[in-house]
Amino acid sequence: MSVDPKALEGKIKQLYPEIDQYGIDMSSHWDDVTKAWMIRLAKSGNTLETHIESQDAEDCLSGTKCVYLNTQLSRFVEAYCLRGDKSCQ
C-alpha cells in the first residue's frame, strides 16, 4: 500500500481529535534515512518530531490507532496543552 501524507495526516487527526481540539499543528513526510514516516507536532513554539513505521502508517490508514504515536501525542498534549498554556484553550 502506498501512503499519501495528506491522507495519513487526515486519518491521524480523525483518530486523535485532540490535535484539532488543542490547535496543534501537524505535518508528515517520508524519511529515506530511517525508512519511516516522520510526524511533527507543534504548538506555541514547542515541537515534537516522532516517527511511524511504514506498517504502522498503513495500519493507521486502516483505522487502527498507533500505540507509539498515542503515547507521544498524549505526552505532548499534557506538557503543552493541559498545564495552563492559555494558547491551548
Side-chain angles (χ1 to χ4, degrees):
M1 169 192 273
S2 177
V3 174
D4 174 70
K6 292 300 175 195
L8 180 60
E9 290 172 24
K11 192 60 167 184
I12 290 171
K13 285 182 177 185
Q14 180 184 2
L15 293 170
Y16 302 100
E18 54 268 51
I19 292 171
D20 286 334
Q21 176 184 352
Y22 293 112
I24 298 169
D25 294 321
M26 182 181 63
S27 61
S28 66
H29 70 274
W30 176 255
D31 185 69
D32 285 325
V33 175
T34 61
K35 303 290 187 216
W37 285 94
M38 301 305 294
I39 306 298
R40 183 179 181 274
L41 303 172
K43 181 68 181 174
S44 302
N46 301 296
T47 61
L48 168 74
E49 189 163 280
T50 189
H51 73 282
I52 299 177
E53 298 296 330
S54 186
Q55 184 61 52
D56 289 340
E58 291 179 19
D59 289 346
C60 179
L61 286 171
S62 298
T64 303
K65 285 195 174 185
C66 190
V67 174
Y68 178 74
L69 179 60
N70 187 52
T71 301
Q72 296 296 319
L73 177 61
S74 295
R75 288 179 180 163
F76 188 86
V77 167
E78 182 180 330
Y80 302 115
C81 297
L82 298 179
R83 294 201 174 155
D85 184 344
K86 302 289 186 222
S87 66
C88 288
Q89 300 178 16

